[in-house]
Amino acid sequence: MKKKDFGYSKDIVKYLQSDGTIPNGSFTIQKNTQGGKVYHYWYYNKSKGTNRLIHLCSVNDKGDEENSFQNSVKILKDKLKGISKTKRNQTFLNVIDDYIERLEKEGEENVRGTERTKKTTQDIISHVRKLRDYVVEKPISLRGVQRESFRNYFEDFVSYLIYDYEKSNGEKGLSDNSIRVILIHIQQFLDELVEPSRGNRVIKYHPISPNFRKNLFSVRRKEKSIPDFYTVENYIEWVEKLSEKVRNVWLEYIKNPEVRPEKYTSVYFTSLLQILYGFRIGELVYCYSNKKSMERIHGKKKSGYSYISPNKHIYTFVIYWKRKFGRVGVDYNVFSWTKSDQLKQEKIFLKEHHKKPTYKTNIIDVIMYLYSDEDRLFPFDMGTLRKNFDKYVLDELELKHTDVERTHDLRDMMINFNLHTKGVSPFDLSQITRNSVQTMENYYIHTSNEISISNSEKLSIKNRISEVYNLKMEKDK
């Protein structure tokens, strides 16, 4: 993207720098990706001093000038004079930009442990930018924000997040938890516009109260879809194909230990753990290799985490997720017919007459050796794992016919298998999966079409009438 396409002039910059209107530096255009869309903004990068990078405006924002470059020059002059954009031009969009700029400075200067962490600040910026994107599409004035009708505008924004917001992978809509956090951060932003202690009071009032936000979210949130894709055949096919992939990755490495497996192959291991033990993908991505790493890195954060605790023959996952604690023992072994010199293995003979031994290694030992770093079991981001799941699991293993669409569906499959096929009680299963019994009753008791029809046939009206008739006949004898 060329600066001259948006009115940039070297002569204007040299003139402004020579007479001291602006300090030495350079105008730059930087891109920012939000929700899969790319936006470009003017910045001024000062040669010296603190807070050298100054956010100016979008390359498409001409303001009252002939082009966006001239508008960026005007904004830069105002900023250097200490004139806020809200005083210059009272629009809600400019107020949002001022807030984002303040947070960016806060993130650069903040020291961990004081006020908001840098990660929290970045999250707030990302969430407020989602509101900014919406305001660009549907402009609203500061006066409009202070009216009761702003509630209707806010309701439409929530619907946009639920149904229309386009993510980087092309899917529409955000998760309930993501929307909940976004709305909390946007409420904080609105509250700071009213509160004088945070600087100049920008607005006198806004109608979005915490109760209104909570009630709106509970009404507008997506209805959780009830999975109906479970069959025993589907479950067995998934387990067999994933087990084979995991075994092959391990065998290839044992034969040629100088070549590490590609990072994407880790998705076979995460998927197998999910369908066998019912892990959430987040419980694996945010799993620490040991308790010390968890305490050192995760600290006192309230968000979910898990860490591994080794026992004699299994690894125990200690999990805190969605305000619930749980433990999961992983005893799955990866079999190989070649001995590994790097890991401790158990030598067995699958059958008495076999002369060649088989070696088995706990899957967590394999994962830690192939993929883990010093602190994390899977040092990869969740987005990458999900993309790899679509490409290398659903497509490559030809499993789309099972109607599984996302990683969480594997957890659903595991729950259905234990509930409907193995006959584990909803209460016991809730302890294993860190779900409430109510969730089990609402979403899993009747999630298999095949089994529901089978159970319905057993309890058909005809059979029940026959049973009642027989009981009556016995009673009359």
Side-chain angles (χ1 to χ4, degrees):
M1 182 167 286
K2 297 180 180 179
K3 293 188 285 186
K4 65 179 183 180
D5 293 338
F6 301 94
Y8 177 78
S9 168
K10 287 184 180 179
D11 294 335
I12 292 176
V13 175
K14 287 181 180 178
Y15 173 77
L16 293 172
Q17 290 175 342
S18 64
D19 70 359
T21 304
I22 62 174
N24 288 335
S26 59
F27 284 89
T28 63
I29 293 177
Q30 299 186 17
K31 69 178 181 179
N32 182 12
T33 304
Q34 304 169 24
K37 297 180 180 179
V38 177
Y39 300 89
H40 293 83
Y41 297 93
W42 281 106
Y43 284 83
Y44 191 72
N45 192 10
K46 294 189 294 181
S47 300
K48 298 179 181 179
T50 59
N51 300 322
R52 289 160 58 182
L53 192 63
I54 303 174
H55 172 81
L56 300 174
C57 65
S58 166
V59 294
N60 298 316
D61 182 8
K62 297 180 182 179
D64 298 326
E65 306 302 319
E66 291 184 7
N67 52 60
S68 65
F69 169 68
Q70 291 183 13
N71 187 38
S72 72
V73 171
K74 183 177 180 181
I75 293 172
L76 177 61
K77 289 179 182 178
D78 289 345
K79 286 195 172 188
L80 294 172
K81 291 176 183 177
I83 302 175
S84 70
K85 287 185 291 184
T86 52
K87 290 181 180 178
R88 173 177 53 81
N89 187 3
Q90 289 286 336
T91 68
F92 190 39
L93 191 61
N94 287 333
V95 171
I96 294 174
D97 287 339
D98 276 346
Y99 185 75
I100 291 173
E101 183 182 342
R102 178 162 64 80
L103 288 178
E104 287 175 340
K105 290 180 180 178
E106 179 183 305
E108 293 172 2
E109 299 168 358
N110 183 48
V111 178
R112 183 174 175 81
T114 62
E115 299 182 355
R116 291 187 282 230
T117 65
K118 189 172 183 178
K119 174 67 168 61
T120 302
T121 303
Q122 290 172 343
D123 288 343
I124 297 173
I125 292 172
S126 174
H127 296 162
V128 174
R129 277 181 175 150
K130 288 178 173 56
L131 175 64
R132 189 190 189 283
D133 293 343
Y134 188 75
V135 173
V136 169
E137 295 293 328
K138 297 187 177 182
I140 186 171
S141 65
L142 277 176
R143 284 186 178 181
V145 174
Q146 299 176 78
R147 293 173 180 154
E148 292 298 321
S149 58
F150 183 61
R151 289 189 173 193
N152 297 329
Y153 185 92
F154 199 76
E155 286 182 16
D156 292 340
F157 171 65
V158 174
S159 296
Y160 158 76
L161 294 177
I162 294 174
Y163 301 109
D164 300 323
Y165 182 83
E166 185 172 344
K167 294 184 284 189
S168 57
N169 61 2
E171 292 183 5
K172 291 292 186 76
L174 296 168
S175 68
D176 286 345
N177 190 56
S178 296
I179 295 171
R180 181 182 62 81
V181 177
I182 289 169
L183 297 185
I184 289 173
H185 287 159
I186 289 175
Q187 170 125 43
Q188 291 174 357
F189 158 62
L190 294 171
D191 290 344
E192 289 186 22
L193 298 184
V194 178
E195 187 181 354
S197 63
R198 301 295 294 184
N200 295 327
R201 190 172 184 177
V202 179
I203 57 177
K204 296 180 180 179
Y205 162 81
H206 73 79
I208 309 302
S209 66
N211 285 336
F212 174 77
R213 169 177 56 78
K214 291 176 184 176
N215 292 335
L216 174 63
F217 177 63
S218 64
V219 171
R220 291 296 184 96
R221 67 189 301 178
K222 286 182 180 177
E223 290 186 8
K224 184 174 179 180
S225 59
I226 298 177
D228 60 359
F229 46 74
Y230 172 74
T231 65
V232 178
E233 291 76 18
N234 284 350
Y235 184 83
I236 291 173
E237 182 179 2
W238 269 91
V239 172
E240 286 181 343
K241 287 190 173 183
L242 289 172
S243 298
E244 183 181 2
K245 271 294 182 181
V246 164
R247 186 168 59 251
N248 289 342
V249 170
W250 180 228
L251 286 172
E252 285 297 321
Y253 176 74
I254 293 175
K255 292 176 182 177
N256 191 6
E258 296 180 359
V259 180
R260 289 271 172 178
E262 296 287 342
K263 290 182 179 179
Y264 76 83
T265 57
S266 63
V267 75
Y268 302 129
F269 290 81
T270 58
S271 299
L272 185 59
L273 288 173
Q274 283 191 277
I275 202 165
L276 290 178
Y277 298 99
F279 287 106
R280 299 177 177 93
I281 190 66
E283 293 170 344
L284 296 174
V285 172
Y286 297 107
C287 178
Y288 296 93
S289 302
N290 51 68
K291 188 176 182 180
K292 286 185 178 179
S293 294
M294 185 277 292
E295 291 175 340
R296 177 170 54 83
I297 299 172
H298 203 82
K300 296 181 179 180
K301 294 179 183 178
K302 294 181 179 179
S303 56
Y305 65 82
S306 64
Y307 66 86
I308 297 171
S309 175
N311 291 307
K312 289 183 179 180
H313 302 292
I314 67 171
Y315 283 90
T316 300
F317 280 68
V318 181
I319 301 170
Y320 174 70
W321 205 265
K322 293 191 174 181
R323 300 180 183 178
K324 289 186 178 181
F325 281 99
R327 290 175 182 267
V328 178
V330 175
D331 56 357
Y332 180 87
N333 291 303
V334 183
F335 289 88
S336 63
W337 294 271
T338 308
K339 191 178 187 305
S340 170
D341 297 327
Q342 289 81 17
L343 291 178
K344 182 180 179 181
Q345 296 176 306
E346 183 180 349
K347 184 168 84 171
I348 62 170
F349 291 91
L350 293 179
K351 294 183 179 180
E352 291 182 4
H353 63 277
H354 281 188
K355 294 181 179 180
K356 189 175 181 180
T358 300
Y359 300 92
K360 65 177 185 178
T361 312
N362 188 286
I363 189 172
I364 303 302
D365 282 323
V366 175
I367 292 168
M368 294 179 75
Y369 192 78
L370 295 182
Y371 306 106
S372 302
D373 60 18
E374 184 180 352
D375 297 310
R376 288 175 58 196
L377 184 64
F378 291 101
F380 314 117
D381 66 273
M382 199 179 303
T384 300
L385 279 172
R386 283 174 171 159
K387 288 179 181 177
N388 289 340
F389 177 78
D390 291 340
K391 182 176 181 179
Y392 296 105
V393 178
L394 289 179
D395 290 339
E396 184 182 296
L397 301 186
E398 299 180 349
L399 287 165
K400 284 189 174 181
H401 69 277
T402 61
D403 293 330
V404 170
E405 297 178 350
R406 55 197 184 121
T407 58
H408 197 80
D409 290 344
L410 302 183
R411 172 178 164 85
D412 292 336
M413 290 268 278
M414 174 269 186
I415 293 174
N416 276 285
F417 175 72
N418 284 277
L419 191 65
H420 294 301
T421 304
K422 294 187 69 177
V424 179
S425 72
F427 177 78
D428 290 340
L429 199 52
S430 71
Q431 306 302 306
I432 298 170
T433 60
R434 289 84 59 209
N435 267 338
S436 67
V437 177
Q438 184 179 359
T439 299
M440 291 293 172
E441 292 176 347
N442 289 344
Y443 299 108
Y444 295 109
I445 296 294
H446 306 292
T447 54
S448 169
N449 279 338
E450 180 185 273
I451 293 170
S452 295
I453 293 169
S454 175
N455 289 338
S456 298
E457 288 175 350
K458 292 177 185 176
L459 298 174
S460 67
I461 293 294
K462 181 179 178 181
N463 291 342
R464 275 181 277 172
I465 291 174
S466 298
E467 288 175 10
V468 171
Y469 178 77
N470 291 334
L471 287 172
K472 184 176 181 302
M473 291 293 289
E474 290 178 6
K475 188 176 179 181
D476 292 340
K477 286 181 181 179

